[in-house]
Amino acid sequence: EAGVVQSPRYKIIEKKQPVAFWCNPISGHNTLYWYLQNLGQGPELLIRYENEEAVDDSQLPKDRFSAERLKGVDSTLKIQPAELGDSAVYLCASSADTFPGELFFGEGSRLTVL
Amino acid sequence: SQQGEEDPQALSIQEGENATMNCSYKTSINNLQWYRQNSGRGLVHLILIRSNEREKHSGRLRVTLDTSKKSSSLLITASRAADTASYFCATDAGGNDMRFGAGTRLTVKP
């Protein structure tokens, strides 16, 4: 069974440029999470989807970040425009349960903003 | 915002020794989970312990939970060089979102 797939693995952009990250969760997993991880820190939740509905986006900086999960399967996280402080790893995870069970993580997308 | 705090921040031991990491959290939980992250990789689930459980084992892993103290510990017995990684606890804070601590960086020297 394929795991959570994320792309791109690495992205280097100049500040003020847009960037998008894509995530394909494990088949059948209804819950999808986007986390941000700074160097030496734990993941911080950005947004959680139940199917195609964003049920918790309180930590998503909505002035420059947006996310969507069309058809309740794969998801895209966008930053526009990117700032220097956005340099981090963006992790996607999925879960089979609506109640927190085991989270399956992708390898992450490492963003460097110059 | 992060829910849990791991202690110590970093731990260095010799192969064969036991490694103990602690996690403290702030609000009531339904379950607590431990994850491992190798450098440059995603997180991998290790073990889940529910709020009504006090201890759980999985191979060389032993997790305890003390809800009165809002704390948990992860013990890795007979550590191996391959156990070198960062270890994170995560809690649901009584809701549906898993919130992670800052992690313990474990180094096991051969």
Side-chain angles (χ1 to χ4, degrees):
Chain A
E1 179 184 286
V4 176
V5 179
Q6 290 189 246
S7 69
R9 284 278 279 136
Y10 304 94
K11 188 76 176 178
I12 301 174
I13 61 172
E14 304 228 332
K15 64 180 180 181
K16 299 186 182 179
Q17 294 298 304
V19 64
F21 306 110
W22 176 79
C23 172
N24 191 28
I26 291 174
S27 177
H29 282 194
N30 297 324
T31 307
L32 184 147
Y33 304 77
W34 282 103
Y35 285 89
L36 175 155
Q37 186 176 28
N38 287 304
L39 187 64
Q41 298 295 315
E44 297 177 38
L45 181 68
L46 290 174
I47 189 167
R48 174 173 65 91
Y49 282 94
E50 298 292 343
N51 298 302
E52 59 272 4
E53 182 183 359
V55 294
D56 185 355
D57 62 356
S58 57
Q59 303 301 313
L60 190 72
K62 297 181 184 60
D63 57 335
R64 297 183 299 107
F65 286 64
S66 64
E68 61 182 11
R69 190 184 184 195
L70 301 177
K71 300 181 182 178
V73 182
D74 55 351
S75 175
T76 302
L77 177 70
K78 297 178 181 177
I79 309 174
Q80 183 171 10
E83 297 179 351
L84 296 176
D86 296 331
S87 294
V89 176
Y90 292 84
L91 293 164
C92 178
S94 69
S95 173
D97 306 311
T98 53
F99 181 80
E102 178 180 353
L103 269 61
F104 294 82
F105 281 84
E107 297 285 13
S109 294
R110 181 178 295 276
L111 173 66
T112 301
V113 182
L114 303 176
Chain B
S1 62
Q2 297 189 308
Q3 157 78 322
E5 266 187 39
E6 286 89 344
D7 170 58
Q9 288 187 322
L11 179 62
S12 182
I13 59 174
Q14 293 293 134
E15 215 167 21
E17 294 180 341
N18 295 341
T20 299
M21 289 158 266
N22 302 297
C23 169
S24 59
Y25 56 91
K26 300 171 185 174
T27 60
S28 297
I29 61 171
N30 294 305
N31 73 62
L32 183 145
Q33 303 179 30
W34 284 91
Y35 288 78
R36 184 187 75 218
Q37 185 178 36
N38 288 70
S39 181
R41 309 297 297 273
L43 281 77
V44 175
H45 181 266
L46 294 176
I47 199 164
L48 180 154
I49 186 165
R50 302 195 185 281
S51 59
N52 60 354
E53 298 175 310
R54 291 296 166 260
E55 189 171 308
K56 208 161 181 181
H57 296 255
S58 177
R60 293 183 297 112
L61 305 180
R62 172 178 170 253
V63 169
T64 62
L65 179 64
D66 187 336
T67 53
S68 67
K69 295 181 180 178
K70 292 188 170 58
S71 68
S72 173
S73 67
L74 170 67
L75 169 67
I76 305 174
T77 60
S79 63
R80 306 166 181 167
D83 295 327
T84 294
S86 291
Y87 291 81
F88 297 92
C89 70
T91 61
D92 60 16
N96 287 339
D97 295 330
M98 296 308 295
R99 307 281 175 146
F100 290 79
T104 292
R105 276 151 287 288
L106 173 66
T107 301
V108 181
K109 300 175 184 175

